[in-house]
């Protein structure tokens, strides 16, 4: 088998194994030249030059490679770490401030604001404190804060309008 390509040496080996198998089955009248050049076995998974009864099936061809095939080392399974349960996020501290004085402090009302300034502060306060944006367990606090803020801003706007009507502003 020296001087042959790997493919040719495999074919020679397959032919030799087929001859041995045929001899074991009692077929002694196999000629080496029988069927040369004839391609057989296209539907069986392995096509080679047919030499009569020395045709190899796909499984026989695969068996010829088993001695040079090295089984890859099994890949160890990745260790499964237990799922980490993250603690719930801390509630926003401003949503815990529900007293009217605390809400007024958060609004930074000083009594000298214009109506436009108060309306802008209401929008900013609503963006940060609206119940739809609050965590579910703090929606009651957010609703309460919005009610207090709206009440304080509405009362301040009412006072500004009264002062304007009396000419004090």
């Amino acid at each position: 088998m020296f001087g042959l390509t790997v493919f040719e040496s495999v074919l020679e080996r397959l032919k030799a194994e087929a001859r041995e198998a045929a001899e074991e089955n009692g077929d002694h009248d196999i000629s080496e030249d029988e069927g040369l050049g004839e391609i057989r076995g296209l539907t069986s998974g392995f096509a080679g030059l047919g030499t009569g009864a020395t045709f190899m099936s796909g499984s026989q061809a695969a068996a010829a490679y088993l001695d040079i095939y090295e089984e890859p080392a099994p890949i160890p399974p990745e260790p499964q770490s237990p799922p980490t349960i993250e603690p719930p996020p801390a509630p926003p501290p401003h949503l815990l401030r529900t007293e009217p004085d605390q809400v007024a402090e958060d609004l930074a009302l000083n009594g000298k604001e214009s109506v436009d300034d108060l309306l802008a502060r209401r929008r900013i306060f609503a963006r940060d404190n609206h119940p739809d944006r609050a965590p579910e367990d703090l929606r009651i606090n957010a609703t309460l804060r919005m009610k207090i803020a709206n009440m304080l801003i509405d009362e301040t706007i009412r006072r500004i309008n009264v002062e304007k009507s009396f000419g004090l502003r």
Side-chain angles (χ1 to χ4, degrees):
M1 288 197 192
F2 294 105
L4 299 176
T5 65
V6 175
F7 181 73
E8 291 170 333
S9 65
V10 170
L11 283 178
E12 289 299 320
R13 188 164 157 202
L14 290 174
K15 289 177 187 177
E17 288 176 5
R19 274 187 246 118
E20 290 173 11
E23 289 175 5
E24 288 175 8
N25 292 336
D27 296 336
H28 297 290
D29 57 332
I30 298 173
S31 167
E32 191 69 34
D33 297 330
E34 190 176 281
L36 276 179
E38 174 185 335
I39 296 179
R40 299 184 44 183
L42 289 176
T43 61
S44 67
F46 181 80
L49 291 177
T51 55
T54 61
F55 170 73
M56 298 292 144
S57 71
S59 59
Q60 290 171 324
Y65 286 98
L66 288 180
D67 61 339
I68 60 171
Y69 175 73
E70 293 180 20
E71 186 72 32
I75 299 172
E78 292 184 22
Q80 297 290 335
S81 61
T84 56
I85 300 173
E86 295 182 21
H94 66 276
L95 290 179
L96 301 176
R97 299 169 44 101
T98 57
E99 296 297 319
D101 295 340
Q102 294 170 333
V103 175
E105 185 180 318
D106 290 346
L107 284 169
L109 298 176
N110 59 17
K112 297 179 182 169
E113 299 86 6
S114 68
V115 173
D116 291 335
D117 186 36
L118 290 169
L119 295 176
R121 287 187 191 192
R122 184 192 314 244
R123 285 190 295 275
I124 291 168
F125 190 86
R127 183 184 64 221
D128 296 334
N129 294 278
H130 198 278
D132 289 347
R133 291 183 150 200
E136 195 168 332
D137 57 330
L138 293 175
R139 286 191 180 157
I140 293 172
N141 288 10
T143 302
L144 181 60
R145 281 178 60 82
M146 286 298 298
K147 285 180 184 179
I148 293 170
N150 284 329
M151 180 191 69
L152 290 171
I153 290 172
D154 289 343
E155 181 62 25
T156 305
I157 291 174
R158 188 189 64 75
R159 283 189 184 165
I160 290 172
N161 289 334
V162 168
E163 288 174 1
K164 279 185 184 178
S165 70
F166 288 127
L168 300 173
R169 256 198 195 231

